Amino acid sequence: MDIKFIQFQSHGDERGSLVSLEDNKNIPFTIKRVYYLFNTQEKVRRGFHAHKELKQLAVVLKGSCRFMLDDGKEKIELLLDNPEQGLYIESFVWREMYDFSDDCVLMVLADSYYDESDYIRDYQEFKELVSA
Ligand code: TYD
């Protein structure tokens, strides 16, 4: 599976760091939605879905968490712990998130509004769709 991390330019000086995200510039789509996960529990595993159309970019703003990405052929585990990079997640990729640090703030940029009909929440259905 081709894992795409996008490295952001960080404007850092002695006052701190600043990262700017601009759609169709350093973000490879038009941003329609932003959501973020926080107060996540360390032992919790979440996600467990893929999308038919949606493309997303995940950025850990604080702390760390792990992603498991699965394109139906291969499963890859990744640690996200750097607010200067984003993990691009294409459609038809099953994702699970876990090992959230206490302070984790996970921001996700999405190219569409929330639409439950775009979700594939059944792993068997996902496997059938990607192998078709
Ligand atoms: P859920 O899909 O379970 O989150 P995760 O994939 O991280 O485990 O979403 C939790 C709830 O939030 C669920 O009721 C749907 C709702 N939700 C929205 O209303 N808008 C959104 O943009 C997202 C991502 C979820």
Side-chain angles (χ1 to χ4, degrees):
M1 194 185 338
D2 193 18
I3 300 295
K4 194 169 165 194
F5 273 107
I6 297 178
Q7 189 68 37
F8 307 130
Q9 190 186 351
S10 182
H11 305 273
D13 58 28
E14 64 285 350
R15 298 169 301 163
S17 303
L18 186 155
V19 168
S20 167
L21 307 177
E22 298 180 296
D23 56 18
N24 299 304
K25 289 194 174 173
N26 58 351
I27 304 302
F29 50 74
T30 301
I31 302 164
K32 281 275 190 68
R33 177 164 53 107
V34 178
Y35 62 93
Y36 45 94
L37 278 66
F38 59 103
N39 286 345
T40 38
Q41 302 300 306
E42 197 196 332
K43 296 274 176 280
V44 161
R45 199 169 174 106
R46 54 187 303 168
F48 296 98
H49 65 260
H51 287 279
K52 296 172 194 161
E53 299 281 350
L54 190 72
K55 284 148 193 74
Q56 297 183 294
L57 191 90
V59 186
V60 166
L61 298 181
K62 183 135 185 82
S64 63
C65 72
R66 286 181 203 281
F67 269 72
M68 190 284 288
L69 299 182
D70 175 359
D71 65 357
K73 297 189 203 93
E74 191 185 359
K75 295 181 190 199
I76 293 185
E77 290 190 300
L78 302 158
L79 176 70
L80 262 71
D81 62 355
N82 182 354
E84 294 179 7
Q85 59 179 213
L87 174 64
Y88 184 57
I89 308 171
E90 296 252 27
S91 50
F92 288 102
V93 174
W94 186 268
R95 85 287 316 267
E96 297 173 18
M97 297 87 83
Y98 51 100
D99 282 355
F100 292 93
S101 64
D102 274 347
D103 58 348
C104 182
V105 180
L106 172 62
M107 178 182 73
V108 183
L109 312 179
D111 75 343
S112 289
Y113 298 124
Y114 176 70
D115 175 10
E116 187 56 40
S117 70
D118 188 64
Y119 279 72
I120 307 159
R121 292 194 184 272
D122 181 88
Y123 187 70
Q124 211 43 51
E125 184 192 349
F126 165 73
K127 289 288 277 185
E128 284 163 19
L129 285 169
V130 288
S131 64

